[in-house]
């Protein structure tokens, strides 16, 4: 596939325009506000992005547990987990990465509309794809959390052994090694390493919780 063909496929797969013209949106009497009032919280998407090994899944699960202990309904969408089902037909070429994130963005939007705090944990290396997901939630309920951990730290941690495989040439197109990661320009939350060490999961979750509380997502 040429680069031009690949770009066209990305645009086609990422299009928000339905292929069929004879479909109609059906509104139901119970809306987002009704669901939020029932749950006593506001639906939103917490989108956690960063390099492999930066602590995304750990933060997502810790945040989910903390919200649960507070009586708040949340659901974690994890990159690897979704590739076992919804996205199992996708690889890691640029066009597949774009479609992967497009699907996740649409699912996350549904969870937010249901009134949940949707925690999406994905490398999501391309800025354009993340911004497309942000555009799906135009009411300020998309919260981008950038785990700004250095490549050196992530590679030293290497919890899945993927960096070692990438360095050995056994994995191609690995983010941070031979495929780029485009850091967010205007994320809501940025979490940095401290003296070369990743903050504790509880500290990172507390930072996100504080933001959600301050912005009114955890109460009516």
């Amino acid at each position: 596939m040429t680069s031009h063909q690949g770009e066209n496929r990305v645009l086609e797969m990422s299009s928000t325009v339905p292929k069929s013209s004879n479909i109609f949106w059906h509104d139901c009497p119970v809306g987002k506000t009704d669901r939020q009032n029932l749950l006593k919280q506001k639906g939103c998407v917490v989108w956690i992005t960063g390099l492999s090994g930066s602590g995304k899944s750990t933060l997502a699960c810790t945040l989910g547990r903390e919200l649960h202990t507070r009586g708040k309904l949340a659901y974690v969408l994890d990159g690897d987990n979704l590739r076992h089902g919804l996205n199992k037909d996708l690889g890691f070429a640029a066009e597949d990465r774009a479609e992967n994130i497009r699907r996740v963005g649409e699912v996350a939007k549904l969870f937010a509309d249901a009134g949940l705090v949707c925690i999406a944990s994905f490398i999501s290396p391309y800025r354009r794809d993340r911004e497309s997901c942000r555009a799906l939630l135009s009411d300020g309920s998309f919260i981008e959390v950038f785990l700004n951990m250095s490549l050196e730290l992530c590679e030293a941690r290497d919890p899945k052994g993927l960096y070692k495989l990438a360095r050995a040439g056994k994995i191609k197109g690995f983010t941070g090694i031979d495929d780029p990661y485009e850091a967010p320009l205007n994320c809501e939350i940025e979490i940095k390493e401290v003296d070369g060490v990743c903050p504790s999961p509880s500290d990172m979750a507390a930072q996100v919780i504080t933001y959600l509380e301050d912005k009114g997502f955890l109460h009516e």
Side-chain angles (χ1 to χ4, degrees):
M1 178 183 294
T2 67
S3 60
H4 180 69
Q5 289 172 324
E7 182 178 354
N8 285 343
R9 187 180 173 203
V10 170
L11 291 173
E12 178 183 348
M13 296 172 76
S14 301
S15 175
T16 58
V17 179
K19 289 186 176 181
S20 177
S21 59
N22 58 336
I23 58 175
F24 304 91
W25 186 267
H26 186 83
D27 284 316
C28 294
V30 177
K32 182 178 181 179
T33 300
D34 301 303
R35 293 186 286 272
Q36 291 183 151
N37 291 339
L38 181 67
L39 295 170
K40 294 181 170 45
Q41 63 185 57
K42 292 183 175 64
C44 64
V45 174
V46 177
W47 191 281
I48 306 173
T49 178
L51 292 171
S52 177
S54 60
K56 298 181 301 299
S57 294
T58 301
L59 170 57
C61 291
T62 303
L63 177 60
R65 185 182 64 235
E66 178 61 26
L67 289 169
H68 181 77
T69 61
R70 292 169 177 248
K72 301 303 175 184
L73 192 57
Y75 194 86
V76 174
L77 297 176
D78 180 81
D80 280 1
N81 290 356
L82 263 66
R83 283 184 177 273
H84 280 85
L86 177 67
N87 295 335
K88 67 181 179 181
D89 60 321
L90 300 175
F92 291 91
E95 60 268 23
D96 282 356
R97 287 179 182 266
E99 174 62 7
N100 178 51
I101 298 305
R102 187 197 69 81
R103 293 181 191 179
V104 173
E106 293 288 355
V107 172
K109 177 184 176 182
L110 293 176
F111 273 107
D113 186 62
L116 279 69
V117 176
C118 180
I119 306 167
S121 170
F122 293 82
I123 294 174
S124 44
Y126 306 136
R127 195 175 295 127
R128 170 182 171 177
D129 296 339
R130 298 193 304 268
E131 288 305 309
S132 293
C133 292
R134 179 186 292 276
L136 294 173
L137 295 99
S138 57
D139 57 356
S141 58
F142 184 92
I143 302 144
E144 189 174 31
V145 180
F146 175 31
L147 294 193
N148 189 3
M149 309 300 158
S150 67
L151 175 61
E152 292 74 20
L153 173 60
C154 295
E155 190 167 359
R157 288 160 55 97
D158 201 11
K160 302 173 184 176
L162 298 178
Y163 283 101
K164 184 177 180 180
L165 293 174
R167 291 293 187 189
K170 296 180 180 179
I171 298 178
K172 300 297 184 182
F174 190 76
T175 302
I177 303 299
D178 56 354
D179 202 68
Y181 177 81
E182 299 171 356
L185 299 178
N186 296 293
C187 59
E188 282 70 23
I189 302 173
E190 181 178 4
I191 300 177
K192 298 181 179 181
E193 61 188 79
V194 179
D195 297 326
V197 178
C198 181
S200 71
S202 58
D203 285 347
M204 293 192 293
Q207 191 170 337
V208 179
I209 290 285
T210 297
Y211 181 93
L212 293 175
E213 288 180 332
D214 290 347
K215 297 298 181 179
F217 289 106
L218 301 186
H219 49 77
E220 293 183 68

